[in-house]
């Protein structure tokens, strides 16, 4: 008589487990830090632990930046005797589980990187034909996130096929591990990304050839922003377009003005991009912290409606981006495209507001009052005005 009950309980458990795994790990865009831009592949245990401590001390963790992603370069140059990837022992003397435990004890999550071909982009062993073993290895270490690139040899397989293989392997291991698709040469990942992943890159690296320290300007992020235009309907509710990291406080040859860096942060939030920091958080100016810890703008990125914003105006002078928020208000970013300061106007009819609106400025943290038909602001070259706007009677 007990057998059917056990069998039923067993089936129920399987069904519940499957359901739990299908559920996205976070329904709002992930927030965190990634090692590639600050350190390239020169990463080690000491640096990552210092970054973890800095994330806590600076208030970044408590503001929501919880994921620490170790990008390319964490691995040893070859696999071990059992065919497993493992952390380079000179740079990570205690291994990856130790680091995962260190981060988890501080309320952080740990991310890792691999590629769908035989080698990663920096030449370390990729996961091609090792997907199940690698997924199991990551789970045993306590990994929470995998960024999966498209470098290396892969015979005749397509990237979509191989990314799907790894996604299945991750889903089969019973530990929720977020999955990011990084195929920078492909323009169509957004069409199928949500079927297998939590987020997907929408274009190339925001800073290319970082080893050769090119000059970094607002054009770096402006190009990547352009790659999310028209893709907003493919994202939302646990699945995200990723125009690549924030380059606020980018550590090498950064020629951006302060206003341009505020602009990237505003625009990334309005398009619901993952907010992944690309700076050395161990050494931050207060001014940088003021950008990255702007709670009102983070709240726009993390809004519960999980609806990415879109570009509604693009003319010679400006772009206007709008995001519908859960409380019925709209977040609006007016971006000054010009090389000179300009007073730019927002016409309410362009953003479906009938006549009057109450406006709050999200950078000065001040209520501006009630406006009729239009709102104007003086905006720095390549800078933004970011407001929250609620229709009024
Ligand atoms: C590619 C990715 C980058 C980074 C490097 C690492 O270029 O797009 O984000 O992960 O590989 O080699």
């Amino acid at each position: 008589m007990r057998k059917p009950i056990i069998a039923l309980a067993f089936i129920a458990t399987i069904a519940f487990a499957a359901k739990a795994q299908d559920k996205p790990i976070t329904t709002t865009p992930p927030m965190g830090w990634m090692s590639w831009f600050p350190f390239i592949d020169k990463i080690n245990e000491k640096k990552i632990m210092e970054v973890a401590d800095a994330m806590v001390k600076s208030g970044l963790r408590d503001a929501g930046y919880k994921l620490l992603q170790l990008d390319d370069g964490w691995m040893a140059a070859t696999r071990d005797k059992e065919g497993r990837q493992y952390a380079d022992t000179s740079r990570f003397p205690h291994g990856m589980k130790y680091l995962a435990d260190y981060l988890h004890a501080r309320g952080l999550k740990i991310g890792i990187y691999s590629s769908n071909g035989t080698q990663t982009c920096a030449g370390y062993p990729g996961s091609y034909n090792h997907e199940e073993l690698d997924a199991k290895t990551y789970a045993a270490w306590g990994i929470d996130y995998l960024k999966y690139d498209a470098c290396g040899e892969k015979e005749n397989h397509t990237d979509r096929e191989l990314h799907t293989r790894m996604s299945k392997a991750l889903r089969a291991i019973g530990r929720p591990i977020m999955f990011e698709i990084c195929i920078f040469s492909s323009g169509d990942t957004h069409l199928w990304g949500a079927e297998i992943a939590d987020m997907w890159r929408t274009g190339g690296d925001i800073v290319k050839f970082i080893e050769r320290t090119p000059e970094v300007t607002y054009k770096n992020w402006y190009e990547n922003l352009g790659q999310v235009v028209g893709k907003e309907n493919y994202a939302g509710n646990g699945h995200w377009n990723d125009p690549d990291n924030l380059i606020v406080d980018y550590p090498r040859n950064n020629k951006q003005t302060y206003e341009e860096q505020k602009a990237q942060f505003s625009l990334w939030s309005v398009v619901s991009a993952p907010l992944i920091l690309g700076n050395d958080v161990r050494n931050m100016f207060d001014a940088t912290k003021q950008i990255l810890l702007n709670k009102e703008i983070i709240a726009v990125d993390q809004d519960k409606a999980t609806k990415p914003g879109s570009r509604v105006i693009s003319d010679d002078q400006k772009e206007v981006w709008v995001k519908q928020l859960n409380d019925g208000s709209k977040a609006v970013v007016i971006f000054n495209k010009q090389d000179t300061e300009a007073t730019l106007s927002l016409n309410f009819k362009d953003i479906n507001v009938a006549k009057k609106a109450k406006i709050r400025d999200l950078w000065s943290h001040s209520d501006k009052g009630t406006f009729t038909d239009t709102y104007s602001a003086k905006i720095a070259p390549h800078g933004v005005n970011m407001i929250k706007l609620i229709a009024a009677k």
Side-chain angles (χ1 to χ4, degrees):
M1 275 305 282
R2 292 182 57 186
K3 269 193 179 155
I5 296 173
I6 293 170
L8 274 177
F10 181 66
I11 290 166
T13 313
I14 303 258
F16 177 77
K19 208 162 169 226
Q21 273 175 40
D22 288 346
K23 238 173 70 185
I25 295 163
T26 66
T27 50
T28 58
M31 292 174 65
W33 171 91
M34 189 175 108
S35 60
W36 186 245
F37 287 126
F39 302 142
I40 316 187
D41 65 349
K42 310 283 176 295
I43 46 175
N44 59 46
E45 181 181 287
K46 184 170 174 285
K47 280 184 185 165
I48 301 298
M49 285 159 75
E50 285 170 3
V51 166
D53 294 343
M55 298 293 284
V56 176
K57 197 162 168 235
S58 60
L60 284 167
R61 179 201 61 188
D62 292 344
Y65 300 93
K66 293 205 165 66
L67 173 70
L68 250 70
Q69 193 233 324
L70 281 67
D71 210 76
D72 210 347
W74 62 266
M75 297 166 210
T78 53
R79 289 177 173 267
D80 71 8
K81 287 200 297 290
E82 279 85 41
R84 288 176 304 209
Q85 287 174 331
Y86 65 101
D88 180 283
T89 47
S90 62
R91 289 181 288 115
F92 294 89
H94 298 94
M96 209 42 83
K97 168 94 172 65
Y98 173 86
L99 197 56
D101 290 347
Y102 187 89
L103 267 50
H104 289 152
R106 282 153 188 79
L108 297 163
K109 303 266 183 202
I110 181 167
I112 218 166
Y113 165 99
S114 189
S115 185
N116 70 10
T118 46
Q119 287 194 313
T120 69
C121 300
Y124 295 85
S127 293
Y128 182 62
N129 282 344
H130 293 81
E131 293 84 357
E132 283 180 21
L133 178 62
D134 290 352
K136 281 187 192 140
T137 307
Y138 304 153
W141 290 337
I143 298 298
D144 304 298
Y145 166 102
L146 174 67
K147 169 173 158 190
Y148 204 48
D149 219 322
C151 285
E153 295 301 318
K154 54 197 85 162
E155 297 171 281
N156 292 324
H157 299 285
T158 64
D159 288 327
R160 181 174 180 177
E161 204 183 323
L162 294 179
H163 271 72
T164 304
R165 247 198 225 176
M166 181 51 102
S167 171
K168 283 190 178 148
L170 290 173
R171 282 181 181 171
I173 51 175
R175 177 182 174 80
I177 297 184
M178 291 189 75
F179 187 49
E180 162 154 38
I181 304 171
C182 179
I183 307 177
F184 52 79
S185 58
S186 153
D188 74 350
T189 315
H190 61 286
L191 300 177
W192 48 271
E195 290 167 23
I196 63 161
D198 302 277
M199 57 197 249
W200 50 88
R201 282 272 294 276
T202 46
D205 292 5
I206 199 160
V207 180
K208 298 176 182 68
F209 313 116
I210 55 175
E211 298 86 346
R212 284 177 248 154
T213 61
E215 251 185 24
V216 171
T217 72
Y218 85 98
K219 288 186 182 154
N220 286 72
W221 58 255
Y222 186 61
E223 183 184 335
N224 280 43
L225 178 72
Q227 291 161 344
V228 298
V229 174
K231 296 180 183 166
E232 55 273 27
N233 291 336
Y234 296 93
N237 193 23
H239 302 287
W240 307 107
N241 288 316
D242 177 17
D244 207 3
N245 292 4
L246 291 162
I247 47 170
V248 175
D249 198 23
Y250 181 80
R252 280 177 295 277
N253 218 358
N254 188 351
K255 300 290 183 211
Q256 299 174 91
T257 66
Y258 190 58
E259 293 302 320
E260 289 166 347
Q261 300 185 70
K262 281 164 67 182
Q264 190 201 4
F265 195 67
S266 307
L267 288 155
W268 258 232
S269 299
V270 97
V271 301
S272 307
L275 297 180
I276 308 293
L277 310 175
N279 62 329
D280 185 349
V281 293
R282 299 172 304 171
N283 308 298
M284 273 188 296
F285 295 112
D286 283 347
T288 302
K289 283 192 211 159
Q290 272 172 30
I291 299 181
L292 303 177
L293 292 169
N294 184 324
K295 293 213 163 87
E296 292 193 80
I297 295 186
I298 292 174
V300 169
D301 183 74
Q302 297 290 304
D303 186 73
K304 286 201 174 59
T306 72
K307 212 175 159 358
S310 45
R311 190 173 72 184
V312 293
I313 305 266
S314 177
D315 59 30
D316 291 346
Q317 299 179 324
K318 66 174 185 294
E319 292 188 3
V320 175
W321 290 77
V322 184
K323 177 173 181 174
Q324 186 64 51
L325 302 179
N326 193 45
D327 64 3
S329 67
K330 293 174 200 285
V332 178
V333 177
I334 310 169
F335 169 58
N336 179 8
K337 280 176 153 174
Q338 303 160 99
D339 299 339
T340 51
E341 185 182 76
T343 298
L344 298 170
S345 300
L346 169 72
N347 292 321
F348 291 172
K349 65 170 176 14
D350 291 335
I351 56 164
N352 286 328
V353 169
K355 189 113 197 109
K356 288 190 171 185
K358 274 196 202 163
I359 287 181
R360 179 168 175 80
D361 187 307
L362 301 187
W363 280 110
S364 68
H365 305 292
S366 58
D367 292 326
K368 293 291 179 190
T370 302
F371 292 76
T372 306
D373 294 331
T374 63
Y375 175 73
S376 302
K378 201 187 262 185
I379 308 180
H382 321 133
V384 294
N385 187 260
M386 183 161 184
I387 54 178
K388 198 168 160 179
L389 181 145
I390 187 141
K393 295 248 161 73

